Amino acid sequence: MGDMSRYSVVVKGIRHAFGRGPEVLRGVDLAVPRGGIYALLGLNGAGKTTLLRSLLGLVRPRQGYVEVLGQRLGAAPPAPELLARLGYVPERPFPDEQATAGDLLSLMRAVHPRWDEATAQRYLKIFHIPLTARCRHLSAGTKSQLALTLAMGGRPELLILDEPTLGLDPLHRHQYLQLLLAEATERDLTIILTSHDLYQIERMADTVAILHGGRILVEKPLDELKESVKRVRVGCAAPDQSLTAALGSLPGVAKVRPDPAGYLLSVLGYLPGLPDQVRSLPGVTGVQVIDLSLEEVFLEYCG
């Protein structure tokens, strides 16, 4: 797990609470592979933003540790050299509503040791960002595009995006995510993002983690995750308690629900032999395995 040639981020057992409130993170482990797109999914309030902020040293967990690009974060703020290798787009960028895009670009030019003007200009052109309008006059979508422009101008090795497409219409959301996909593919960039747009995430993520109630329920490559979660429709002549119990005890079966034809099983650890095991039970007349979209997989874990 600590082999940092393979991982951009390693998180081990982190716990955190704000003040005397309940724990927001309750023993989180993560291993983010180097390169590619890592999607962190969760309902509102699951702890996603707190977890992302802990990777930047903005939140210091009360327990456990965080390693980013081979460096363990400690009690002191992260070294400037490490911060220069990170890009961050928060959910609500630019608290200074008076600043213009031009002001923010000038500031980044002056302070960022890895600043790449050509990249910044390329993004400004793609997004048609007005340089003279104040942030308070920009739409939420344009602010998100500007935040990405500033982050990419620093040529990050790790890019952290918290709900980056909030406020973008479907066309611009698609454009934004396709750009990220191209960047992740063309150079050695690791992207960690949270998003409620699971349709788009399914088309671009390499690895998915689901955070629920401050804990990681599952962390897998996307294709493996989708292979492991299925719904199974079971036909039977007459449902009865013994069949219900037998179905519920099969490996991987998380829930057994009534269905017009018999039963619907939620399976969170699907194994290829399961259909045959179901067929062998007395009273079963048919078995159908249903593949799920990422959104349906997410709902099986969190719904």
Side-chain angles (χ1 to χ4, degrees), residues 11-15 25-30 51 65 211 214-216:
V11 171
K12 200 79 180 126
I14 68 170
R15 308 181 81 92
L25 301 176
R26 299 160 63 194
V28 170
D29 294 340
L30 284 187
L51 178 52
Y65 73 81
L211 182 67
R215 289 197 174 92
I216 297 290

Side-chain angles (χ1 to χ4, degrees), residues 10 22 27-28 76-78 84 89 116 128 142 151 168 177 203 205 215 222 249 254 292 303:
V10 174
V28 170
V89 177
D116 179 359
H128 306 292
T142 305
L168 286 171
L177 294 170
R203 299 164 69 181
R215 289 197 174 92
L222 175 62
S249 69
L292 303 181

Side-chain angles (χ1 to χ4, degrees), residues 206-225:
D206 300 296
T207 307
V208 171
I210 296 176
L211 182 67
H212 189 64
R215 289 197 174 92
I216 297 290
L217 298 183
V218 64
E219 178 191 45
K220 281 185 177 166
L222 175 62
D223 48 358
E224 278 182 36
L225 176 64

Side-chain angles (χ1 to χ4, degrees), residues 155-296:
R155 291 186 300 115
E157 291 168 47
L158 172 64
L159 179 62
I160 295 173
L161 306 159
D162 194 359
E163 289 294 342
T165 58
L166 223 56
L168 286 171
D169 60 55
L171 182 67
H172 288 100
R173 190 163 62 219
H174 179 74
Q175 177 201 38
Y176 188 108
L177 294 170
Q178 288 306 304
L179 262 173
L180 290 180
L181 194 53
E183 291 286 2
T185 310
E186 284 162 22
R187 57 197 197 84
D188 187 22
L189 172 66
T190 305
I191 297 173
I192 301 175
L193 83 165
T194 71
S195 177
H196 290 300
D197 186 354
L198 300 190
Y199 173 70
Q200 293 283 4
I201 292 295
E202 183 164 4
R203 299 164 69 181
M204 58 189 290
D206 300 296
T207 307
V208 171
I210 296 176
L211 182 67
H212 189 64
R215 289 197 174 92
I216 297 290
L217 298 183
V218 64
E219 178 191 45
K220 281 185 177 166
L222 175 62
D223 48 358
E224 278 182 36
L225 176 64
K226 288 182 66 182
E227 274 308 302
S228 72
V229 182
K230 306 278 186 192
R231 283 190 197 128
V232 177
R233 185 165 274 126
V234 179
C236 67
D240 64 61
Q241 274 183 324
S242 63
L243 180 53
T244 307
L247 290 167
S249 69
L250 291 173
V253 174
K255 275 192 217 123
V256 180
R257 286 173 289 203
D259 183 69
Y263 295 96
L264 195 60
L265 312 183
S266 292
V267 185
L268 298 185
Y270 181 80
L271 296 168
L274 182 68
D276 288 337
Q277 288 177 290
V278 174
R279 275 189 203 95
S280 70
L281 295 173
V284 171
T285 55
V287 178
Q288 179 196 10
V289 179
I290 304 162
D291 293 330
L292 303 181
S293 68
L294 178 58
E295 187 163 359
E296 290 169 318

